[in-house]
Amino acid sequence: MIIFLSGPDDYRRIESKRETIEKFKKKHSSLSTGRFDFAETEAMEKAEVFAGGQSLFETKKLLILDNCFEAEQKRLKLFLKRYADEPSTIILIEAAGKPPKPLDFILKKPAFHEDFGNLAGKEWDGFVRGKLKEFGIGIDPAALALLSGLYAKNTWGLIKELEKLAAWGKPVIAEKDLALLDLELTPNYWGLLQGLKHASAAARLSSLERLFSQHEPAGKLFNILSAMWSEKIAAFAAYDGAVKGGKLDYEEALLDLAIS
């Protein structure tokens, strides 16, 4: 049996790997576990020996293959094919990217494949809310929206900041509280973001120019600003739809917001 976990969301992918290992250990008391890092020499040979070994006291084996796509692909393919339909031998592979072409059979049955793509929209908001509950953190809607926008597509960053918020012990986190914490935003950065909401178009343009000069991704700036600027939620939704429809990019959307 082959389990392949992939996708760009490192946190959720690695958490699933950890949970999978724990699940099999809990379910099978006689489980024999072997971990093999293919960045090291002889990892393939060691995995083959471990998988092929027989024992009266083992009912199942779990092989955790790290960096296995670096192995000689023909030999690895034969190895994986040999155990693809073998329920007593579980092979767990976790990687950010897709497998090389000769190994793409692990993307379909009988292998089990789960892809951990970056969450967005309601799925991302639901994930953030779930983690806030898990950490026991109370938060107001404005702070929640800002936190979600700031850490979109950065689950590790979100978890790191939730750990800080949980340790802080404040009953309810407000938007102004986030400015006091060591988030990804420096005080100057925070001030520039606030400058994008200034009544003066010249001030807004000046703040935007300085933010662009710091080489921050325009998409990230757009998401954060949309969370901070609730009065323009309809405008942000329209711009987002236009960007996703290919009519303009996030830089152009931010510039139009600044001068309007």
Side-chain angles (χ1 to χ4, degrees), residues 159-210:
I159 298 302
K160 180 183 69 175
E161 297 310 334
L162 292 186
E163 290 173 348
K164 294 177 184 178
L165 291 173
W168 200 23
K170 191 176 177 67
V172 178
I173 305 298
E175 181 182 357
K176 63 181 180 180
D177 296 323
L178 298 181
L180 303 176
L181 298 177
D182 183 23
L183 303 180
E184 284 191 352
L185 305 180
T186 64
N188 181 54
Y189 190 110
W190 189 277
L192 291 175
L193 281 170
Q194 294 290 346
L196 292 175
K197 300 169 61 177
H198 199 280
S200 165
R204 294 196 299 270
L205 282 170
S206 175
S207 293
L208 183 61
E209 182 180 3
R210 291 171 66 188

Side-chain angles (χ1 to χ4, degrees), residues 54-254:
Q54 300 293 325
S55 172
L56 295 174
F57 306 103
E58 298 171 351
T59 58
K60 284 187 180 291
K61 293 181 179 180
L62 173 63
L63 286 79
I64 305 160
L65 307 187
D66 297 326
N67 303 303
C68 71
F69 296 155
E70 297 180 16
E72 195 277 308
Q73 292 181 16
K74 184 176 181 181
R75 186 176 180 182
L76 179 59
K77 180 179 180 178
L78 290 172
F79 176 73
L80 295 178
K81 286 280 190 181
R82 187 182 311 150
Y83 296 103
D85 288 313
E86 176 52 64
S88 64
T89 302
I90 304 119
I91 297 175
L92 177 59
I93 301 170
E94 171 261 316
K98 294 181 179 179
K101 185 68 175 177
L103 305 176
D104 63 4
F105 64 90
I106 68 173
L107 296 171
K108 49 186 179 288
K109 295 182 178 179
F112 172 81
H113 171 232
E114 187 170 4
D115 182 73
F116 294 90
N118 290 315
L119 298 176
K122 291 182 179 179
E123 287 186 335
W124 173 244
D125 289 340
F127 177 83
V128 176
R129 289 177 186 276
K131 286 299 176 182
L132 284 164
K133 184 177 181 180
E134 185 179 314
F135 279 93
I137 299 170
I139 193 166
D140 71 19
L144 173 60
L146 180 57
L147 200 64
S148 295
L150 177 60
Y151 289 104
K153 297 184 180 180
N154 181 9
T155 316
W156 276 118
L158 172 72
I159 298 302
K160 180 183 69 175
E161 297 310 334
L162 292 186
E163 290 173 348
K164 294 177 184 178
L165 291 173
W168 200 23
K170 191 176 177 67
V172 178
I173 305 298
E175 181 182 357
K176 63 181 180 180
D177 296 323
L178 298 181
L180 303 176
L181 298 177
D182 183 23
L183 303 180
E184 284 191 352
L185 305 180
T186 64
N188 181 54
Y189 190 110
W190 189 277
L192 291 175
L193 281 170
Q194 294 290 346
L196 292 175
K197 300 169 61 177
H198 199 280
S200 165
R204 294 196 299 270
L205 282 170
S206 175
S207 293
L208 183 61
E209 182 180 3
R210 291 171 66 188
L211 284 165
F212 281 162
S213 71
Q214 294 182 16
H215 307 292
E216 286 290 343
K220 176 181 175 181
L221 294 175
F222 183 90
N223 287 329
I224 297 171
L225 190 60
S226 66
M228 296 172 61
W229 208 345
S230 57
E231 298 89 347
K232 286 188 173 287
I233 189 169
F236 276 103
Y239 282 121
D240 194 48
V243 170
K244 290 174 179 175
K247 296 179 180 178
L248 74 166
D249 55 33
Y250 283 119
E251 289 89 346
E252 293 169 326
L254 288 168

Side-chain angles (χ1 to χ4, degrees), residues 24-25 27-33 57-61:
F24 278 105
K25 285 183 176 180
K27 187 176 181 180
H28 305 285
S29 59
S30 59
L31 180 73
S32 179
T33 305
F57 306 103
E58 298 171 351
T59 58
K60 284 187 180 291
K61 293 181 179 180

